Amino acid sequence: MLQMFMAQLQEICKSPYEAVLFRAAFAIAFFEAFRSSEFLAASRTDVSGRAIALQDVTVASGVVSIHLPRSKTDQREKGAWVTLRAAPAGLPCPVRLLSEFLALRPAIVGPLFVHLDGSCLSRFQFASVFRMCLSGQDLPAAAFGVHSFRIGAATYAAGHGLSSQQVMELRRWRSAAFKSYVR
């Protein structure tokens, strides 16, 4: 489904830049199983610093490292580094998609995911575009939410032979609760 959504973004988004922005955000949400609150701003004007910032991201030798400053499972806000590598053939590549976005992103300090005018990509906008993708595939939007990216990540990892322990470590789950996500 991720590939179908990626293809639709060119039609849904109001500009080529917006399509690249949402492709990168969708890829990060899926491949790192991020909760939207972990990487996106609460609103277009959010200045809380809770979203992943541009300075939290490094790209080198085909690998993306992202410092996640806080998460649901990191209540003390110690932060964690996550690493994205190239995706297997046949899947959208998060490293390529994020690199394409970074090449176009305005050179401003602040959240990683911003519109051309510098305003933040909000959780609401992310969810709205995701619902448009669902509608475009004749899928019931009520049956899905942005947590579907996390569910898809768990399902993909489990279906490709990762052990429960590996899935938990790679996607920052503290318990085997992720098993309830696997479809």
Side-chain angles (χ1 to χ4, degrees), residues 32 34 55-58 64-69 78-84 169-170 172:
E32 279 306 323
F34 281 152
Q55 65 266 21
D56 292 329
V57 179
T58 58
V64 174
S65 296
I66 300 173
H67 182 253
L68 184 62
K78 293 180 182 176
W81 282 95
V82 295
T83 303
L84 283 166
E169 288 173 10
L170 286 172
R172 301 167 326 282

Side-chain angles (χ1 to χ4, degrees), residues 156-175:
Y156 180 82
H160 284 81
L162 272 69
S163 70
S164 293
Q165 187 64 34
Q166 288 172 311
V167 174
M168 287 170 55
E169 288 173 10
L170 286 172
R171 302 301 178 246
R172 301 167 326 282
W173 271 288
R174 285 199 174 163
S175 71

Side-chain angles (χ1 to χ4, degrees), residues 28 32 34-35 37-40 49-59 63-71 74 76-84 98 102 110-113 172:
I28 298 302
E32 279 306 323
F34 281 152
R35 295 168 184 90
S37 62
E38 292 175 334
F39 79 107
L40 293 173
R50 297 191 65 85
I52 291 175
L54 179 61
Q55 65 266 21
D56 292 329
V57 179
T58 58
V59 181
V63 175
V64 174
S65 296
I66 300 173
H67 182 253
L68 184 62
R70 68 195 54 81
S71 72
D74 178 23
R76 294 189 177 146
E77 297 185 3
K78 293 180 182 176
W81 282 95
V82 295
T83 303
L84 283 166
L98 189 57
L102 290 171
L112 171 63
F113 291 110
R172 301 167 326 282

Side-chain angles (χ1 to χ4, degrees), residues 4-76:
M4 292 186 297
F5 296 159
M6 296 279 185
Q8 271 188 292
L9 288 170
Q10 200 64 38
E11 297 167 21
I12 291 171
C13 295
K14 63 183 178 184
S15 71
Y17 175 84
E18 293 289 310
V20 171
L21 165 67
F22 279 96
R23 274 192 210 98
F26 281 14
I28 298 302
F30 177 80
F31 286 99
E32 279 306 323
F34 281 152
R35 295 168 184 90
S36 61
S37 62
E38 292 175 334
F39 79 107
L40 293 173
S43 72
R44 287 179 62 104
T45 58
D46 183 2
V47 293
S48 68
R50 297 191 65 85
I52 291 175
L54 179 61
Q55 65 266 21
D56 292 329
V57 179
T58 58
V59 181
S61 303
V63 175
V64 174
S65 296
I66 300 173
H67 182 253
L68 184 62
R70 68 195 54 81
S71 72
K72 180 180 173 182
T73 58
D74 178 23
Q75 296 300 308
R76 294 189 177 146

Side-chain angles (χ1 to χ4, degrees), residues 65-145:
S65 296
I66 300 173
H67 182 253
L68 184 62
R70 68 195 54 81
S71 72
K72 180 180 173 182
T73 58
D74 178 23
Q75 296 300 308
R76 294 189 177 146
E77 297 185 3
K78 293 180 182 176
W81 282 95
V82 295
T83 303
L84 283 166
R85 300 190 187 286
L91 284 177
C93 178
V95 173
R96 180 182 54 78
L97 292 167
L98 189 57
S99 295
E100 288 173 3
F101 169 69
L102 290 171
L104 298 174
R105 185 190 180 281
I108 58 172
V109 175
L112 171 63
F113 291 110
V114 295
H115 298 281
L116 271 176
D117 67 2
S119 65
C120 304
L121 171 60
S122 72
R123 293 179 215 154
F124 175 80
Q125 292 169 323
F126 183 86
S128 295
V129 170
F130 178 56
R131 282 192 297 277
M132 286 187 244
C133 288
L134 290 165
S135 295
Q137 295 297 321
D138 293 322
L139 295 168
F144 297 87

